[in-house]
Amino acid sequence: MVPRGVAARWRRAATAPGKGQGSLGGREEAAAGRESHAACLSPAGQPLGILDGIPIAVKDNFNTAGIETTCASNMLKGYISPYNATVVQKLLDQGAVLLGKTNLDEFAMGSGSTDGVFGPVRNPWSYSKQYKEKSVPKSHSEDKESNWVITGGSSGGSAAAVSSFTCFAALGSDTGGSTRNPAAHCGVVGLKPTYGLISRHGLIPLVNSMDVPGILTRCVDDAAVLLGSLAGHDPKDSTTIQDDFKPFELPNLTDVSKLSIGIPKEYHAPGLSSEILALWSKAADLFRKAGAKVVEVSLPHTRYSIVCYHVLCTAEVASNMARFDGLEYGHRSDMKDSTESMYAATRREGFNDVVRGRILSGNYFLLKQNYEKYFVKAQKVRRLIANDFVKVFRSGVDILLTPTTLSDAAPYTEFIQEDNRTRSAQDDILTQAANMAGLPAINVPTALSERGLPVGLQFIGRSFQEKQLLTVAKWFEKQVQFPMIQLEEVKKHDSDVFHHQKSASLS
Amino acid sequence: SQSSSLCKTTPSTAKSPRKIVFVGLEIHAQISSNSKLFSGSQVQFAAPPNSLVSFFDASLPGTLPVLNRRCVEAAVMTGLALNCSINKKSLFDRKHYFYADLPAGYQITQQRVPIAVNGSLSYSLCIDNKMSQMVTKTVRIKQIQLEQDSGKSLHDDTRSQTLVDLNRAGVGLMEVVMEPDMCCGEEAAAAVRELQLILQTLGSSQAVMAEGQLRVDANVSVHHPGEPYGVRTEVKNINSMRFLAKAIDYEIQRQIEELENGGTILNETRAFDSKLGCTVPMRDKEGQQDYRFMPEPNLPPLILYDAKSLPANMNHQQVINIDWIHERLPDLPSVKRKKLVEQYGILPEHSFTLLNEDGLAEFFESVVKQTQMKPKKVIGWILKDLLSYLKQHSLTVKESPVSSFLLADLLNLLEKKEISSTAAKQVLAELWKGEGKTPLEIVKEQKLELLQDQKELEQICQAVIDGHENEVMAIKAGNPKVLNKLIGLVQKKTQGRSNPVLVKQLLEKKLSG
């Protein structure tokens, strides 16, 4: 496979009009520059690194030097970052081609990728044969276009980019499920690594104590490759662990008899669709039949995680957003009456109401008279949630198997009927606790729903045991043989690239 | 521990009973380090505006703090020198407020668990301004915390704009909190002065107030004995030793007068207006500030080790060993003073003056080494003659035109009785001009050598005796003090070139016969 040619094809697909709003446009020059750069530096065909020439998209909350980094917010529109996030630099050092910055919910707050200033992201599956065949227009006059479904969020652009073959892999971020959720809705692999494994230097923070860079790929092996390039101690990030990280190749697991899979009963959450419940059950049976030990376990504090997350997340948001005052960078209001009025106007103009709402809540929880009642209490609850996992893993369970989302992707028109806070509270329920506990978790695309849309299942592993987690995920991926998206536009171009593969891979 | 007898509080009267004054201090000392507390940008005074600002200092989104090891060592050293317990685990917090010189909208500090707690500082005061009576006091150190300095903002009212310089933003500070054990400006100034000396000795801070490396906030409250504690005001950002005592004493007086007039004290922040010599309310800090403290999530707890707890295979670059630092602490000022007194037999108050002047102790010791004169005599020349010259001309010891070598040379001449002490003072005045002459050259030039010819001296003595019958009779009648007049006359005749001790002996011998 010649990277240059592939990248050209990919770019054509990416800029196909009206589809995705995944990439924020204008990065083709950067990509073309990098690509020829890659070609120049490897004259004898020597790869620059393991990712040489591979097109990768990056969520727009990662700093990219010389390239606009907006977080899909008016506050940072036009902000050209002077440095690369560590993970971006690592990708570039391995020869990857940065294809573009992907769309998201503003400052990564949301579960639909619908609340950014550049507009919502459309799930590529909306345009798939599989979805179109199953969708029944309610009336003749109904525009087929209005049927499109969301990607989930907040890393919706990255998930859409990988899902639509615009790139091989993408970086997202995951604070409450923001990588796994859109991965599930877009039918791609979404890995949330253990907190402290991958550097957050250069990732514009939402919740410093929960954020991790997320990896979105089309198959589990690719996720392992990306992880190998990105993981490891970064002196610029004091929350990364000191231990050496050794990149690994995933074995082809055949014997699961020594494995113990835990099924946490609390993840049978209210609102879980019967479809997904059935799929989850089927997956458990799959492991059982293959000889693994499958046990029901309990994580009793699961139901408190959303409320706890709400307090801790908004508190950190209020703090992290305090730097956006219009003085040093970013949007600055024309209001000149006083410094304070300039700050207030800048922040009102720069932030959407989701961000402003979280700042107000967070400041409330951090007030001296409220701090013990809310913030400290939530920290204690967080400890209990984390301990639930510790107990279960100590009891002999290796991996937990849960649904990733409550249902398949909702149509946009339906999704926006409820506000961001409500949706987030609903959609984060199955993914959030892993962030509380800092554990690694991965979404593996499992099957198509009745509506022809992807449904994924989640595996949660022990701290820093990504190898085991990904090995099991890979085994499962092989069993389920998730179908490839059939996008009509891509078919018109070079489908021969894929025709003999179920899913394209880097290896 | 109140000892208000030293303080200039109002004496007790029927109308206005004696007040108890509490003065506590929060002292911010800039850490002497190459780079800032959490970023690699340089620390330097008076650099071009915004030339020492890293991405982190400017709060660019996505940047993270990385703790500077040297700053931690400086805080540990300071904690040990102030007899504190060093917390083996301390935490970092965010203190939130909006201000132009605080780019992130919060300061990283240590509010919950600081690096050092529960220490003490001993300092000395002279009673009634006499150097002869010194008293030692102690102030408790509540804690020492590491925190970031802010940038500087300058308000340009003519153009209605604020200019922001972030060079100082992120520089490491040690905040030393002194409990309200002091009762007046003089005590506070003495305590701060001692702290300054300690910091300079350790090298943990250069503590030069003029360069903003040492800033003091004073908390002052006043109440009647037996009544509840008074409301506290904070006098912020006192940045000169001269104004420290003044500002505090003014505030104490203001509060006393306010209460005596039936007024109330507001819990407010005030600044010292040096031109007017009074404290004024600070408009910027109106209202109660809720800093919404929150743990700093990007910095794990700071763990320090000692010899016992040090893990065997830990990379020693990654750890700080408190005991290792303790072993290498230099002699603190109090120890140095004691040694000076013991080694040279000088008075304690002398040792204070020696250490109070940068380089003076070293100068003294250097002179002592180079002269046969006893240190007890040398000290007089250092503290009275040399120091007064320096003060008169506003020079530091380093800038002295008279080197220790020259002074020792001069004192040797005196010790060998080649000149009188009066002559020596004359020579010193000449040396002060810094024209490069040696003491011996000046002596020869000005003909200041003591008369070595005993016969000649005897003749002059006889001549004086012969010329002053009245005085001779008075002496013989039993008034020995009149002898001094005769000695003075001999001195005059010899143009100061006679040894007064020898003259006295000769006169006495002649008169007794």
Side-chain angles (χ1 to χ4, degrees):
Chain A
M1 198 180 282
V2 177
R4 238 178 304 152
V6 165
R9 279 186 218 117
W10 262 237
R11 278 212 305 285
R12 276 202 296 277
T15 53
K19 298 295 172 285
Q21 290 244 127
S23 277
L24 296 177
R27 309 297 181 276
E28 288 81 16
E29 310 83 51
R34 277 293 316 172
E35 169 192 87
S36 51
H37 177 73
C40 287
L41 285 180
S42 51
Q46 280 285 81
L48 256 178
I50 200 166
L51 300 172
D52 189 35
I54 304 295
I56 298 190
V58 168
K59 187 174 180 183
D60 206 21
N61 59 355
F62 286 92
N63 277 276
T64 42
I67 298 173
E68 205 181 354
T69 301
T70 67
C71 295
S73 174
N74 277 323
M75 189 59 90
L76 290 177
K77 240 186 188 168
Y79 172 71
I80 308 286
S81 171
Y83 73 101
N84 279 325
T86 297
V87 288
V88 170
Q89 191 59 51
K90 285 187 167 190
L91 292 177
L92 296 175
D93 289 344
Q94 291 293 329
V97 176
L98 175 61
L99 206 61
K101 305 295 289 293
T102 59
N103 203 0
L104 59 156
D105 283 303
E106 180 162 337
F107 279 109
M109 299 185 204
S111 58
S113 303
T114 52
D115 278 321
V117 285
F118 299 108
V121 184
R122 300 187 186 199
N123 191 329
W125 284 84
S126 313
Y127 306 98
S128 66
K129 194 169 173 217
Q130 291 105 322
Y131 178 63
K132 285 185 175 168
E133 276 169 2
K134 296 287 174 72
S135 67
V136 178
K138 294 202 174 64
S139 67
H140 276 295
S141 55
E142 190 190 64
D143 183 3
K144 271 195 183 167
E145 280 285 291
S146 70
N147 235 7
W148 61 270
V149 297
I150 57 163
T151 51
S154 60
S155 312
S158 285
V162 174
S163 171
S164 62
F165 301 113
T166 330
C167 56
F168 270 118
L171 288 186
S173 64
D174 196 311
T175 308
S178 291
T179 290
R180 292 160 285 156
N181 175 293
H185 287 316
C186 295
V188 297
V189 170
L191 170 63
K192 175 212 168 295
T194 312
Y195 183 89
L197 185 61
I198 299 186
S199 172
R200 291 181 298 111
H201 168 77
L203 167 59
I204 297 173
L206 174 58
V207 183
N208 285 291
S209 63
M210 295 183 209
D211 291 350
V212 292
I215 293 170
L216 294 136
T217 55
R218 270 198 289 286
C219 67
V220 178
D221 272 326
D222 290 353
V225 171
L226 260 287
L227 183 69
S229 303
L230 298 178
H233 176 65
D234 182 7
K236 297 191 184 118
D237 178 353
S238 308
T239 60
T240 53
I241 50 160
Q242 304 277 346
D243 307 4
D244 282 330
F245 174 81
K246 291 190 186 68
F248 49 79
E249 252 185 55
L250 295 175
N252 278 312
L253 191 64
T254 44
D255 174 22
V256 296
S257 59
K258 295 195 184 64
L259 214 54
S260 172
I261 306 287
I263 309 286
K265 62 180 188 192
E266 291 82 3
Y267 279 63
H268 184 161
L272 187 65
S273 78
S274 48
E275 242 186 341
I276 297 193
L277 182 61
L279 211 58
W280 185 20
S281 189
K282 226 170 135 187
D285 285 341
L286 199 66
F287 278 99
R288 210 174 273 124
K289 282 192 193 120
K293 186 171 162 208
V294 180
V295 286
E296 190 190 71
V297 296
S298 175
L299 301 168
H301 298 92
T302 303
R303 62 199 170 110
Y304 303 118
S305 78
I306 289 297
V307 129
C308 174
Y309 175 66
H310 182 76
V311 172
L312 297 178
C313 170
T314 54
E316 285 216 34
V317 164
S319 179
N320 292 332
M321 298 296 146
R323 66 187 58 209
F324 295 105
D325 53 20
L327 266 186
E328 296 86 11
Y329 49 81
H331 172 67
R332 185 197 280 211
S333 166
D334 289 329
M335 169 68 71
K336 281 184 170 65
D337 291 352
S338 69
T339 313
E340 281 75 21
S341 64
M342 188 273 276
Y343 283 0
T346 295
R347 290 160 72 80
R348 189 181 56 246
E349 292 163 16
F351 292 138
N352 71 5
D353 49 8
V354 178
V355 178
R356 298 206 311 272
R358 293 199 193 189
I359 292 172
L360 288 168
S361 312
N363 277 324
Y364 176 79
F365 296 134
L366 289 178
L367 288 175
K368 208 165 170 181
Q369 73 253 32
N370 293 332
Y371 183 73
E372 287 286 323
K373 263 194 299 193
Y374 292 101
F375 188 88
V376 176
K377 204 63 171 294
Q379 291 280 42
K380 292 179 179 174
V381 173
R382 181 176 181 178
R383 172 62 59 200
L384 293 175
I385 293 169
N387 281 346
D388 280 356
F389 286 100
V390 169
K391 283 190 199 131
V392 160
F393 285 128
R394 230 178 248 162
S395 73
V397 167
D398 300 306
I399 304 276
L400 297 170
L401 167 62
T402 79
T404 313
T405 55
L406 295 174
S407 66
D408 57 5
Y412 175 72
T413 47
E414 193 186 294
F415 184 79
I416 56 171
Q417 298 294 323
E418 300 277 8
D419 65 37
N420 182 297
R421 170 145 141 47
T422 309
R423 287 300 185 202
S424 297
Q426 291 164 349
D427 300 333
D428 287 347
I429 190 110
L430 300 168
T431 47
Q432 213 297 302
N435 297 87
M436 284 285 184
L439 296 171
I442 185 169
N443 172 77
V444 180
T446 308
L448 294 182
S449 69
E450 276 171 16
R451 289 161 66 216
L453 293 172
V455 169
L457 290 176
Q458 173 177 236
F459 295 92
I460 305 174
R462 289 196 179 96
S463 269
F464 302 107
Q465 301 304 313
E466 270 78 355
K467 187 170 180 187
Q468 182 184 51
L469 177 70
L470 290 170
T471 301
V472 173
K474 180 175 168 178
W475 179 88
F476 183 71
E477 174 187 63
K478 200 163 171 202
Q479 306 307 309
V480 298
Q481 298 282 303
F482 180 79
M484 200 174 70
I485 187 175
Q486 288 164 34
L487 285 172
E488 285 158 345
E489 272 73 11
V490 174
K491 256 186 155 178
K492 283 196 196 118
H493 297 292
D494 308 350
S495 59
D496 55 343
V497 176
F498 324 113
H499 82 274
H500 64 285
Q501 292 172 284
K502 281 287 163 69
S503 52
S505 150
L506 290 167
S507 28
Chain B
S1 48
Q2 287 298 300
S3 175
S4 40
S5 58
L6 243 79
C7 290
K8 300 167 188 72
T9 48
T10 51
S12 180
T13 67
K15 186 186 171 199
S16 55
R18 189 165 63 89
K19 310 283 191 305
I20 297 184
V21 179
F22 284 142
V23 176
L25 300 176
E26 282 159 25
I27 301 161
H28 292 92
Q30 260 189 16
I31 297 173
S32 174
S33 60
N34 290 326
S35 55
K36 296 184 180 179
L37 183 56
F38 295 117
S39 69
S41 41
Q42 227 194 314
V43 178
Q44 199 191 306
F45 181 67
N50 293 311
S51 60
L52 305 171
V53 185
S54 67
F55 296 153
F56 174 77
D57 302 333
S59 79
L60 294 198
T63 52
L64 298 169
V66 180
L67 185 55
N68 178 336
R69 185 205 171 96
R70 156 68 189 164
C71 293
V72 178
E73 289 172 346
V76 172
M77 274 198 286
T78 306
L80 292 170
L82 294 176
N83 307 305
C84 295
S85 306
I86 306 295
N87 282 327
K88 293 221 192 75
K89 177 172 165 183
S90 62
L91 306 171
F92 290 100
D93 304 288
R94 293 184 181 179
K95 177 180 180 182
H96 300 86
Y97 61 94
F98 285 99
Y99 207 71
D101 61 17
L102 198 67
Y106 59 83
Q107 174 203 37
I108 301 179
T109 177
Q110 293 189 299
Q111 187 243 4
R112 288 168 293 157
V113 186
I115 192 167
V117 289
N118 296 337
S120 64
L121 169 68
S122 293
Y123 60 95
S124 293
L125 294 176
C126 5
I127 306 179
D128 298 332
N129 279 323
K130 285 183 207 148
M131 277 306 277
S132 51
Q133 267 197 301
M134 300 212 80
V135 87
T136 303
K137 311 212 84 181
T138 308
V139 58
R140 291 168 295 158
I141 305 290
K142 179 172 183 218
Q143 65 187 53
I144 300 175
Q145 68 211 45
L146 281 167
E147 59 184 34
Q148 293 174 303
D149 208 345
S150 64
K152 282 202 190 129
S153 56
L154 304 149
H155 301 292
D156 178 0
D157 289 319
T158 37
R159 291 189 199 81
S160 298
Q161 60 182 9
T162 301
L163 306 167
V164 181
D165 175 12
L166 296 179
N167 281 349
R168 202 183 65 180
V171 170
L173 292 177
M174 294 175 287
E175 179 175 324
V176 179
V177 182
M178 292 186 180
E179 299 277 25
D181 297 341
M182 296 159 285
C183 66
C184 62
E186 193 186 359
E187 287 193 357
V192 172
R193 179 66 187 128
E194 188 66 8
L195 176 66
Q196 191 180 41
L197 286 174
I198 291 174
L199 293 171
Q200 288 167 349
T201 304
L202 293 172
S204 57
S205 171
Q206 287 164 55
V208 175
M209 286 183 94
E211 291 186 8
Q213 293 164 342
L214 194 72
R215 286 138 29 205
V216 181
D217 298 340
N219 295 312
V220 179
S221 80
V222 159
H223 70 274
H224 292 122
E227 282 186 19
Y229 290 170
V231 172
R232 207 180 59 169
T233 63
E234 189 186 7
V235 183
K236 260 195 111 57
N237 275 332
I238 304 164
N239 45 21
S240 123
M241 231 20 134
R242 267 173 59 216
F243 300 141
L244 178 57
K246 270 206 185 115
I248 292 171
D249 287 335
Y250 175 86
E251 180 59 21
I252 293 169
Q253 203 50 44
R254 183 192 76 86
Q255 288 195 14
I256 289 174
E257 279 169 20
E258 187 68 38
L259 289 176
E260 280 174 359
N261 293 334
T264 50
I265 306 296
L266 297 169
N267 177 306
E268 61 178 351
T269 310
R270 298 174 75 88
F272 182 66
D273 185 323
S274 50
K275 289 189 195 116
L276 299 173
C278 63
T279 62
V280 293
M282 279 176 83
R283 275 173 289 116
D284 279 350
K285 310 262 172 175
E286 266 172 61
Q288 292 285 42
Q289 273 273 24
D290 191 325
Y291 292 113
R292 289 160 281 127
F293 285 99
M294 184 186 93
E296 168 55 70
N298 292 317
L299 291 169
L302 173 59
I303 309 288
L304 304 173
Y305 298 91
D306 55 25
K308 260 191 259 170
S309 65
L310 196 62
N313 46 8
M314 184 79 86
N315 177 4
H316 110 103
Q317 294 282 19
Q318 292 295 327
V319 299
I320 287 180
N321 182 344
I322 300 167
D323 290 336
W324 192 89
I325 294 176
H326 206 164
E327 283 159 22
R328 283 156 186 79
L329 285 180
D331 277 346
L332 294 182
S334 51
V335 173
K336 276 193 197 167
R337 286 186 205 114
K338 213 166 159 210
K339 281 188 176 171
L340 285 170
V341 168
E342 279 167 15
Q343 197 177 343
Y344 300 111
I346 58 177
L347 295 174
E349 46 265 34
H350 293 161
S351 68
F352 269 90
T353 315
L354 278 181
L355 252 59
N356 227 22
E357 215 52 52
D358 192 24
L360 194 60
E362 289 77 18
F363 192 97
F364 166 70
E365 289 189 284
S366 173
V367 170
V368 165
K369 273 205 192 91
Q370 298 175 78
T371 180
Q372 297 91 46
M373 184 182 279
K374 286 214 169 70
K376 271 187 179 165
K377 280 178 80 178
V378 174
I379 193 75
W381 285 92
I382 299 284
L383 295 183
K384 280 187 231 139
D385 301 274
L386 180 77
L387 194 57
S388 61
Y389 269 122
L390 290 173
K391 291 293 179 204
Q392 261 174 42
H393 296 91
S394 298
L395 292 172
T396 63
V397 172
K398 285 193 182 77
E399 295 164 335
S400 170
V402 178
S403 67
S404 61
F405 173 75
L406 282 179
L407 183 59
D409 204 13
L410 173 62
L411 296 182
N412 280 339
L413 289 179
L414 181 58
E415 194 66 8
K416 283 189 267 179
K417 295 197 172 59
E418 289 182 32
I419 54 173
S420 68
S421 67
T422 324
K425 288 197 204 290
Q426 256 180 274
V427 174
L428 186 57
E430 194 62 31
L431 280 175
W432 197 261
K433 291 182 190 161
E435 286 165 3
K437 298 181 203 158
T438 67
L440 197 58
E441 283 168 0
I442 297 169
V443 163
K444 289 226 163 77
E445 241 177 49
Q446 297 190 13
K447 297 196 173 61
L448 296 171
E449 309 93 322
L450 278 178
L451 271 176
Q452 298 298 345
D453 187 344
Q454 180 126 343
K455 272 218 185 88
E456 198 186 335
L457 197 58
E458 279 189 27
Q459 276 175 1
I460 295 171
C461 286
Q462 192 59 53
V464 165
I465 288 173
D466 293 341
H468 292 85
E469 282 175 20
N470 293 339
E471 283 79 2
V472 168
M473 281 199 316
I475 292 165
K476 287 196 172 158
N479 193 352
K481 284 194 183 149
V482 183
L483 190 63
N484 290 335
K485 188 176 177 191
L486 293 183
I487 296 171
L489 286 168
V490 173
Q491 288 276 47
K492 218 171 160 186
K493 273 226 156 135
T494 59
Q495 288 156 322
R497 291 174 61 190
S498 50
N499 182 345
V501 172
L502 186 57
V503 167
K504 188 173 181 205
Q505 282 175 359
L506 289 174
L507 288 171
E508 279 173 343
K509 194 166 150 203
K510 285 187 186 294
L511 292 171
S512 64

